[in-house]
Amino acid sequence: MSRDPPGPAEEEAPGAAGGGGGGGGGGGGGGSGGEGRARPAGEGGGCYLALCARPVHFEKANPVNCVFFDEANKQVFAVRSGGATGVVVKGLEDRNPISFRMEDKGEVKCIKFSLGNKILAVQRTLKSVDFLNFIPDSPQVEYTQECKTKNANILGFCWTSSTEIVFITDQGIEFYQVLPEKRSLKLLKNQSINVNWYMYCPESSVILLSTTVLGNVLQPFYFKSGTMAKLSKFEIELPAAPKSSKLSLSERDIAMATIYGQLYVLYLRHHSRTSNSTGAEVVLYHLPREGSCKKTHILKLNRTGKFALNVVDNLVVVHHQDTETSVIFDIKLRGEFDGSTTIHQFVLPPRSIQPYQIPVAGPASVTSQAPVPCKLYSSSWIVFQPDIIISASEGYLWSLQVKLEPVVNLLLDKGKLMDFLLQRKECKMVILSVCSQMLSEPERGSLSVIATVFDKLNHEYKKYLEAEQSYTMVVETGLSRSNPLLKRPVRTQAVIDQSDMYTHVLSVFTEKKEAPHKFTIAVLMEYIRSLNQFQIAVQHYLYELVIKTLVQHNLFYMLHQFLQYHVLSDSKPLACLLLSLESIYPPAHQLSLDMLKRLSTANDEIVEVLLSKHQVLAALRFIRGIGGHDSISARKFLDAAKQAEDDMLFYTIFRFFEQRNQRLRGNPSFTPGEHCEEHVTFFKQVFGEQALMKPTTF
Amino acid sequence: AAGGAGQEKQLAPTLLSFFIYNPKLGPKEGEEEKKILFYHPNEVEKNEKIRNVGLCEAIVQFTRTFSPTKPAKSLHTQKNRQFFHEPEENFWMVMVVRNPIIEKHKDGKPVYEYQEEELLDKVYSSVLQQCYSMYKLFNGTFLKAMEDGGVKGLKERLEKFFHRYLQTLHLQSCDLLDVFCGISFFPLDKMTYLKIQSFINRMEESLNIVKYTAFLYNDQLIWSGLEQDDMRILYKYLTTSLFPRHMEPELAGRDSPIRAEMPGNLQHYGRFLTGPLNLNDPETKCRFPKIFVNTDDTYEELHLIVYKAMSAAVCFMIDASIPPTLEFCRKLDSIVGPQLTVLASDICEQYNINKRISGAEKEPQFKFIYFNHMNLAEKSTIHMRKTPSVSLASVHPDLMKILGDINSDFSRVDEDEEIIVKAMSDYWVVGKKSDQRELYVILNQKNVNLIEVNEEVKKLCATQFNNIFFLD
């Protein structure tokens, strides 16, 4: 499978595919052109890889129909009779196929659109490439560019932008700019070098050339807006010294892919009998934009035979045809480091790609047959980077996907599972379900496992918060203008914040009440501990959840101790919540007042609390202590004093305000705005008119 | 009252007698002896015992007619003072303390002057109540013991317990702290506290038979899974009895607890303070003291396992129906030991950092006692470190007595109060009560007036108690 059918260039795909049913066989009404909707079959036993549900269906290769695949645009070209009877272009992303006709000027060797489908390039001979504009209102006549190097043969070409193209010849590379209006090309740069084969990674705009006799010296070039940069070349270590001087490194064993934002060259090193390796392995060479290429990782396959590589969601997927299974590797997971390279074992046990059913094409009214199971790991499969699988014999193009749900049951070490999941794109719901699962029977995890998981989640959460914080700081200080590269940090799904945990895991878990309350509280405290450890401010609703749980089980003394050590951080809402507990737990009153005092912004609340308890004198002493007694409402205090039904108290308070009036206004009587008439009346009633303070006159 | 004349000699208060009786056990005449469950000193002649018990009964009975719900708590006489306590219905505990005496010499003959007003009722009533609490912690209630083993069983238990316990009562050094019977909490930052929480939860999970856990550092409490009242008395036991007993060998460097000899055993400093002495000895006894908690409702009987690594001590309490085996002890040692060792050094490190930050290393200028009724938190800069038997006050007993008097005043009213007393030789004593908190400060400054004293106390509150609601 995969690169097994050796072609001149990797794009030349199924047309040359030897295996499979070639042009013959079933597929009946495939010619209808309608898209056969393929649906994946039911859940396989822990299959963590699947073909996408909506593949691209194309007319399969046959003597009159040649099929090509362009990795840059991820498009399949079906060229009938050299284009005379039609070219159909379909892509994974663009759902509307492009159809056109072109003159049959001979066998097509390679055909690709520039980025954005602006210009079509077709190679029909070894010496030149033809161009056709697809830009509206531009000349629609083909134009041709011959390669500049004399006696060179064009191995292929790659578009590096919508108007820039690179020819790769056996003697070097030629970098052109296409001028569609002028229907001509301008040579930007060229470089002479002997080329055995080449490989292009559109994601990173890097072309890799195989040079030297053995072919194991690789020369990368990097292209960006009209410039071409030669990166440092490097040598792939061959498993054993080759006996003869012939090409020893095949392009079939090399792939290029971006993993975790870094470009890697992946080399599939086959098992050699001379070396004492236990099986084939994939060697990863890190290719930085600057600096030299280094061997960094070795992925142990522990088996031999035919392999193919994909990279999906930053995972290296290795398909093994003999066993019809695949394994995945995650270079971010811990491996065995030998000082220069890290050796990785596969993350999960080998599994087959999830069974896939090809629906019988044609109008549903005509065919009512059951869908046909798709032959997986077929020898007619061709694999492209990063995640493309093409079945030449059936005319399908899939993208490969990683399913996270089955992983949960395959990776029993929860810490490792989290490390794995946190690096995946669509991880949030799976992670949350793992969290829920580990908190409830029958798969309840131990507290130390739970702690590990929380720590891993919060580590990721904190990283994001920090990035966000430093971004806001730069923006606020106005430094952003001087730093155009500054981008707002992306919030990936791996950022599981408190509200996610609360909504999906913790509140559900505490409500279920199936676990012993000790465990419930331990889990909540563990989460709070973890947040604190990463210096993340804990949200109020988590404290509320803790308090609710403790109150439900009458664990007031526990609550008291937590508050005593400020484990539940001070806040007004928390203080209010405590106040509401006073009737069932009297000390909550003291705890609440202490908290309000510490907040230092809740003086009004303190006064209210004291007044509500008829502690009028205490309230007055407090407000005087903080120097706020000149602005308080006399009526409020007198009301409270009257409600306390303590005449002496009322007298004291009344006198205090008379004195205040005297001090502030030179007269002890209340102003009408203070609305204290009823209190004055009451005072006279109880203590007599003469008890009223006399205005001091000088 | 340090007398100028060298011939004067102070004789401290001492325990004259201590007895427990239940009037229902011998209601008939001639059967009075049956009422007596315990009598110290035992040598006292039988009829005298009966007479003393009868007298107490009569006093209680008599005072009940005036105050049916609150019968007499103490009886003051010239030579001694009697304290009555009815911890369980019809079970009475009586403690008779001889008043302190000043021995003078007149005409070559010794003359004894009893100081009738020296002893504080509240202090000694509290001591008596603690006697019961301590008994109950290790023996359960009187009633339960009687239900289980009859009067004989109860008598045996009382004899066994009080015979030893009474010797540890140091009546001469009882003071306000005995009234509070508070708990000293170890100051700790949130993160370290959460780590301890996490440790406790994980230990309770691994040693799944553990019902409650308490955690102490430096003889100060950090966490209690027990309810407050049970913890209060357990804390007293740990800090005044168990820990001091184990301190001496620790200081002497004997039985160095690093045990690397066991293969596969991580080096750690953990060891059992109760239970097995040597885990490597297959014959070693895994017997732990039994304690009784929640005696008002669930009435739980537990084994008390106290395990210590450096300054950190953990009490694991497990159901008494599950006798801990040697295997369990070894497991506990291997799990708890290494982790507790690490945790203990974490706490120590963090504590020193916090101390440096807050600048609390400076010797406190104030001598004060703080107590919070809500969480029983107690803090004293007046008392020295607790010794096996007593905590010694570093101020003159007369000042301590003033503190006790202020406390008695406070307990009579609900309102917040403040009392400032000018004591002898430039001493000022200030008592403040705010909500459920009490603070007693002793100041010694020459030529200060009331306002200055008040300012000083305000300063103290601002530095020491700024994070609580404590009214000035």
Side-chain angles (χ1 to χ4, degrees):
Chain A
M1 70 190 253
S2 99
R3 303 183 184 279
D4 200 20
E10 81 269 51
E11 292 90 335
E12 192 169 323
S32 67
E35 290 226 337
R37 276 290 149 75
R39 236 169 288 112
E43 284 294 304
C47 296
Y48 46 81
L49 289 166
L51 302 173
C52 68
R54 298 181 61 183
V56 174
H57 184 39
F58 55 86
E59 189 182 345
K60 58 193 160 213
N62 61 46
V64 291
N65 183 45
C66 292
V67 179
F68 300 89
F69 178 64
D70 169 21
E71 283 179 298
N73 290 321
K74 296 199 166 68
Q75 288 168 327
V76 188
F77 288 75
V79 182
R80 279 189 148 266
S81 330
T85 50
V87 179
V88 179
V89 186
K90 287 180 178 178
L92 261 177
E93 273 111 51
D94 30 81
R95 282 283 141 194
N96 296 321
I98 305 167
S99 314
F100 57 89
R101 281 169 205 278
M102 58 183 192
E103 215 179 311
D104 183 0
K105 290 182 185 171
E107 191 202 341
V108 172
K109 289 179 179 300
C110 183
I111 181 166
K112 287 171 184 178
F113 271 119
S114 71
L115 301 184
N117 302 334
K118 297 277 193 304
I119 304 161
L120 181 73
V122 187
Q123 187 197 351
R124 295 183 173 103
T125 71
L126 288 171
K127 301 290 176 193
S128 67
V129 178
D130 303 325
F131 295 88
L132 187 58
N133 294 341
F134 271 68
I135 307 162
D137 310 322
S138 67
Q140 299 283 310
V141 186
E142 275 191 22
Y143 44 106
T144 304
Q145 179 67 47
E146 285 195 15
C147 71
K148 295 273 185 201
T149 320
K150 292 267 180 300
N151 303 325
N153 287 330
I154 299 177
L155 300 176
F157 61 86
C158 317
W159 286 99
T160 58
S161 79
S162 60
T163 55
E164 285 160 357
I165 191 165
V166 182
F167 289 3
I168 300 96
T169 72
D170 51 4
Q171 291 173 34
I173 55 172
E174 298 170 3
F175 184 32
Y176 293 98
Q177 179 170 26
V178 186
L179 307 163
E181 304 80 24
K182 291 186 182 168
R183 299 176 47 240
S184 66
L185 280 78
K186 189 177 123 193
L187 182 68
L188 295 172
K189 204 146 193 194
N190 66 338
Q191 172 93 35
S192 289
I193 185 167
N194 278 322
V195 179
N196 302 309
W197 47 263
Y198 77 97
M199 189 166 283
Y200 179 50
C201 176
E203 268 179 295
S204 50
S205 298
V206 169
I207 290 176
L208 199 61
L209 304 178
S210 155
T211 68
T212 70
V213 181
L214 293 173
N216 65 332
V217 175
L218 301 179
Q219 173 62 61
F221 287 92
Y222 169 59
F223 298 87
K224 199 189 174 190
S225 50
T227 62
M228 176 177 101
K230 190 176 178 180
L231 306 180
S232 52
K233 64 180 178 193
F234 61 99
E235 193 179 324
I236 298 275
E237 294 166 38
L238 297 171
K243 287 185 189 85
S244 57
S245 343
K246 63 168 190 165
L247 191 62
S248 304
L249 181 67
S250 157
E251 62 163 313
R252 276 177 296 163
D253 296 332
I254 293 292
M256 262 199 293
T258 310
I259 305 169
Y260 293 118
Q262 296 294 314
L263 181 62
Y264 286 91
V265 173
L266 291 80
Y267 165 47
L268 178 61
R269 181 154 68 185
H270 292 283
H271 172 70
S272 80
R273 251 154 276 160
T274 50
S275 73
N276 40 16
S277 67
T278 53
E281 53 196 29
V282 177
V283 185
L284 266 62
Y285 292 81
H286 178 217
L287 189 53
R289 185 101 356 119
E290 273 161 40
S292 56
C293 184
K294 264 198 218 90
K295 183 167 114 177
T296 52
H297 301 271
I298 293 173
L299 316 179
K300 287 287 199 187
L301 301 177
N302 295 334
R303 38 172 78 180
T304 57
K306 280 186 182 172
F307 298 98
L309 302 175
N310 272 134
V311 172
V312 185
D313 205 357
N314 292 316
L315 294 167
V316 179
V317 181
V318 185
H319 306 290
H320 186 229
Q321 195 178 27
D322 306 14
T323 57
E324 298 195 352
T325 58
S326 308
V327 287
I328 56 177
F329 294 88
D330 185 345
I331 58 167
K332 273 224 178 151
L333 290 188
R334 190 187 293 266
E336 201 185 306
F337 188 62
D338 70 356
S340 61
T341 53
T342 313
I343 298 162
H344 296 267
Q345 305 296 334
F346 36 79
V347 183
L348 302 165
R351 285 286 185 278
S352 171
I353 294 171
Q354 188 174 300
Y356 190 86
Q357 310 258 312
I358 293 176
V360 176
S365 54
V366 181
T367 52
S368 57
Q369 293 135 285
V372 185
C374 174
K375 169 87 180 90
L376 300 174
Y377 300 89
S378 148
S379 56
S380 77
W381 274 17
I382 303 168
V383 174
F384 292 98
Q385 293 321 315
D387 59 349
I388 301 297
I389 294 175
I390 290 175
S391 169
S393 62
E394 283 155 324
Y396 280 99
L397 177 151
W398 296 279
S399 66
L400 187 66
Q401 296 170 332
V402 173
K403 298 255 169 227
L404 297 182
E405 287 84 4
V407 177
V408 173
N409 299 320
L410 292 172
L411 208 53
L412 296 176
D413 177 338
K414 288 276 188 290
K416 205 171 164 199
L417 174 65
M418 278 300 145
D419 287 341
F420 178 82
L421 290 177
L422 282 168
Q423 300 297 340
R424 308 283 75 85
K425 263 194 214 93
E426 312 258 312
C427 61
K428 181 175 260 176
M429 291 325 285
V430 180
I431 288 176
L432 289 169
S433 82
V434 171
C435 288
S436 288
Q437 192 191 9
M438 74 181 177
L439 297 183
S440 50
E441 298 291 353
E443 286 169 82
R444 206 170 95 181
S446 74
L447 284 172
S448 53
V449 167
I450 291 166
T452 310
V453 170
F454 287 166
D455 284 349
K456 286 187 189 291
L457 296 184
N458 288 330
H459 177 68
E460 206 65 30
Y461 178 24
K462 177 64 178 177
K463 268 203 306 202
Y464 168 73
L465 290 178
E466 264 176 354
E468 179 76 33
Q469 198 187 10
S470 57
Y471 170 79
T472 352
M473 235 167 68
V474 172
V475 169
E476 273 169 8
T477 50
L479 288 169
S480 54
R481 259 158 279 144
S482 59
N483 188 0
L485 283 175
L486 185 79
K487 276 195 210 127
R488 185 176 205 102
V490 184
R491 189 186 166 131
T492 65
Q493 287 208 6
V495 177
I496 311 263
D497 64 15
Q498 296 172 63
S499 118
D500 293 326
M501 281 302 280
Y502 176 83
T503 316
H504 298 279
V505 183
L506 298 173
S507 66
V508 186
F509 159 67
T510 49
E511 260 157 45
K512 264 200 280 184
K513 292 184 186 116
E514 57 166 29
H517 62 78
K518 234 182 194 180
F519 180 74
T520 310
I521 292 154
V523 167
L524 294 176
M525 291 316 286
E526 204 55 67
Y527 188 60
I528 289 174
R529 182 215 38 90
S530 179
L531 289 170
N532 271 290
Q533 195 148 315
F534 289 95
Q535 292 167 332
I536 302 169
V538 181
Q539 295 293 319
H540 173 68
Y541 45 74
L542 286 176
Y543 293 144
E544 221 169 89
L545 201 58
V546 172
I547 296 177
K548 220 173 76 185
T549 313
L550 291 169
V551 169
Q552 259 166 16
H553 296 95
N554 284 317
L555 299 167
F556 292 106
Y557 189 43
M558 228 183 233
L559 173 63
H560 201 132
Q561 294 183 67
F562 288 156
L563 288 162
Q564 202 175 320
Y565 281 96
H566 308 300
V567 166
L568 312 177
S569 305
D570 299 342
S571 72
K572 271 191 206 177
L574 193 56
C576 295
L577 181 61
L578 286 172
L579 270 184
S580 71
L581 293 175
E582 196 196 337
S583 58
I584 34 174
Y585 185 62
H589 174 74
Q590 192 191 64
L591 290 167
S592 172
L593 273 182
D594 289 352
M595 194 176 279
L596 290 171
K597 162 89 186 300
R598 284 192 297 268
L599 286 169
S600 78
T601 55
N603 295 332
D604 293 346
E605 282 83 351
I606 291 178
V607 170
E608 291 300 328
V609 169
L610 292 172
L611 289 182
S612 72
K613 309 248 353 174
H614 303 312
Q615 293 179 328
V616 193
L617 223 45
L620 205 53
R621 283 171 68 197
F622 169 74
I623 203 85
R624 200 178 55 185
I626 58 163
H629 54 295
D630 282 354
S631 51
I632 46 166
S633 147
R635 185 194 161 92
K636 198 198 273 181
F637 281 77
L638 289 168
D639 274 344
K642 202 173 158 203
Q643 276 162 27
E645 291 177 353
D646 177 345
D647 286 349
M648 272 328 288
L649 178 67
F650 185 80
Y651 183 90
T652 312
I653 301 296
F654 192 88
R655 184 61 92 224
F656 173 84
F657 283 106
E658 278 187 317
Q659 282 166 351
R660 182 179 85 166
N661 294 341
Q662 173 74 38
R663 188 162 43 82
L664 297 178
R665 292 195 301 271
N667 191 317
S669 57
F670 292 88
T671 63
E674 288 179 282
H675 303 290
C676 293
E677 293 79 9
E678 62 169 301
H679 300 104
V680 175
T681 316
F682 179 74
F683 185 84
K684 286 190 221 161
Q685 231 170 52
V686 181
F687 305 104
E689 181 112 33
Q690 71 289 352
L692 284 173
M693 200 171 143
K694 307 277 178 307
T696 31
T697 46
F698 297 99
Chain B
Q7 298 108 315
E8 276 192 22
K9 210 165 106 194
Q10 266 262 354
L11 296 175
T14 51
L15 182 71
L16 282 182
S17 58
F18 184 99
F19 46 91
I20 300 165
Y21 66 90
N22 184 336
K24 298 279 178 233
L25 294 175
K28 288 187 201 135
E29 216 163 309
E31 287 185 347
E32 285 90 350
E33 199 193 354
K34 288 188 181 167
K35 294 178 192 172
I36 307 171
L37 294 164
F38 174 78
Y39 201 103
H40 165 89
N42 197 27
E43 303 78 50
V44 172
E45 196 260 326
K46 182 179 124 189
N47 283 325
E48 197 191 330
K49 285 181 185 170
I50 292 170
R51 256 203 323 277
N52 287 336
V53 167
L55 179 65
C56 292
E57 244 188 289
I59 290 164
V60 170
Q61 218 36 60
F62 174 67
T63 53
R64 222 192 264 277
T65 53
F66 304 105
S67 168
T69 49
K70 286 184 189 164
K73 286 212 168 120
S74 67
L75 174 71
H76 296 210
T77 65
Q78 188 207 3
K79 290 186 178 171
N80 58 42
R81 206 173 281 191
Q82 303 197 13
F83 298 92
F84 312 114
H85 180 44
E86 187 189 18
E88 294 175 40
E89 203 184 352
N90 294 317
F91 286 96
W92 286 87
M93 295 173 83
V94 179
M95 180 169 79
V96 184
V97 182
R98 196 204 62 206
N99 282 328
I101 304 170
I102 294 180
E103 188 189 298
K104 288 182 178 168
H105 290 270
K106 221 175 197 175
D107 311 328
K109 273 195 235 160
V111 179
Y112 298 104
E113 220 171 80
Y114 286 91
Q115 295 185 289
E116 288 173 56
E117 299 307 317
E118 280 304 297
L119 297 182
L120 287 168
D121 276 352
K122 262 198 101 183
V123 169
Y124 291 92
S125 302
S126 303
V127 170
L128 181 57
Q129 282 162 32
Q130 275 168 40
C131 287
Y132 173 72
S133 301
M134 198 61 88
Y135 168 84
K136 193 183 69 171
L137 178 68
F138 291 102
N139 295 280
T141 60
F142 295 151
L143 190 68
K144 191 82 190 336
M146 220 164 74
E147 281 169 6
D148 292 347
V151 177
K152 188 167 169 277
L154 174 60
K155 277 184 172 171
E156 280 165 11
R157 276 182 175 273
L158 291 170
E159 181 64 39
K160 201 174 154 211
F161 178 82
F162 283 108
H163 177 70
R164 269 221 329 246
Y165 186 74
L166 292 179
Q167 293 172 17
T168 68
L169 286 181
H170 291 260
L171 295 181
Q172 70 279 14
S173 54
C174 293
D175 61 30
L176 189 56
L177 285 194
D178 293 283
V179 175
F180 295 145
C181 190
I183 294 169
S184 177
F185 286 93
F186 186 77
L188 204 58
D189 65 294
K190 189 197 327 192
M191 194 55 232
T192 315
Y193 185 79
L194 283 167
K195 269 194 209 166
I196 295 170
Q197 272 297 315
S198 176
F199 162 81
I200 292 166
N201 289 332
R202 273 183 286 119
M203 291 309 109
E204 288 191 358
E205 185 183 57
S206 315
L207 313 163
N208 53 19
I209 55 172
V210 173
K211 222 168 163 182
Y212 306 104
T213 307
F215 193 103
L216 295 95
Y217 189 85
N218 257 354
D219 294 3
Q220 289 175 299
L221 187 66
I222 291 177
W223 170 253
S224 163
L226 281 182
E227 284 305 313
Q228 201 179 50
D229 281 340
D230 290 321
M231 193 61 229
R232 179 185 224 169
I233 197 69
L234 177 63
Y235 178 78
K236 186 165 172 76
Y237 163 70
L238 294 172
T239 53
T240 60
S241 176
L242 185 71
F243 292 161
R245 255 189 281 143
H246 284 83
M247 207 157 65
E248 278 156 59
E250 227 167 85
L251 291 174
R254 268 181 281 145
D255 78 337
S256 172
I258 314 173
R259 282 163 302 166
E261 73 270 12
M262 262 190 41
N265 206 10
L266 283 163
Q267 266 209 7
H268 66 77
Y269 291 86
R271 65 201 179 99
F272 286 92
L273 294 196
T274 62
L277 291 170
N278 183 359
L279 290 173
N280 294 332
D281 175 9
E283 300 298 309
T284 195
K285 292 257 181 350
C286 291
R287 280 175 58 187
F288 294 93
K290 272 188 194 169
I291 60 167
F292 295 78
V293 299
N294 292 327
T295 48
D296 288 339
D297 45 59
T298 45
Y299 204 94
E300 292 157 71
E301 194 176 344
L302 307 165
H303 291 291
L304 174 66
I305 302 172
V306 184
Y307 188 86
K308 197 173 179 190
M310 305 200 277
S311 295
V314 209
C315 306
F316 294 111
M317 286 155 266
I318 63 175
D319 203 289
S321 58
I322 311 160
T325 59
L326 181 60
E327 193 194 355
F328 173 80
C329 294
R330 281 184 180 151
K331 182 182 167 194
L332 189 149
D333 183 64
S334 68
I335 296 175
V336 179
Q339 297 201 46
L340 188 61
T341 305
V342 173
L343 199 55
S345 58
D346 273 7
I347 297 170
C348 179
E349 194 180 318
Q350 201 56 48
Y351 176 65
N352 289 332
I353 291 171
N354 294 344
K355 227 165 54 175
R356 230 171 295 137
I357 292 168
S358 67
E361 270 169 323
K362 284 171 273 162
E363 188 68 16
Q365 304 150 291
F366 297 100
K367 290 196 180 294
F368 70 86
I369 294 177
Y370 162 86
F371 182 69
N372 181 356
H373 288 271
M374 285 287 127
N375 60 358
L376 308 181
E378 165 192 288
K379 198 171 174 182
S380 169
T381 59
I382 288 173
H383 293 79
M384 320 277 223
R385 212 185 143 73
K386 282 174 177 134
T387 63
S389 47
V390 277
S391 50
L392 288 171
S394 61
V395 297
H396 195 277
D398 287 357
L399 290 170
M400 289 311 291
K401 188 169 173 276
I402 297 175
L403 297 187
D405 284 332
I406 297 175
N407 169 261
S408 306
D409 282 343
F410 283 164
S411 53
R412 272 195 281 276
V413 265
D414 254 354
E415 307 273 301
D416 291 359
E417 268 188 62
E418 187 164 339
I419 297 172
I420 301 180
V421 179
K422 170 90 173 71
M424 74 295 176
S425 52
D426 294 320
Y427 274 104
W428 289 79
V429 178
V430 183
K432 276 167 76 78
K433 183 184 172 220
S434 170
D435 194 23
Q436 300 291 321
R437 296 182 164 109
E438 291 174 32
L439 174 68
Y440 303 86
V441 187
I442 297 172
L443 293 165
N444 185 19
Q445 273 173 30
K446 277 201 165 64
N447 305 322
V448 287
N449 59 31
L450 194 65
I451 294 167
E452 285 163 332
V453 168
N454 198 34
E455 283 305 311
E456 281 297 302
V457 175
K458 266 193 180 166
K459 238 192 274 169
L460 168 76
C461 291
T463 54
Q464 296 276 334
F465 305 107
N466 61 337
N467 61 344
I468 55 170
F469 186 80
F470 196 73
L471 272 178
D472 290 326

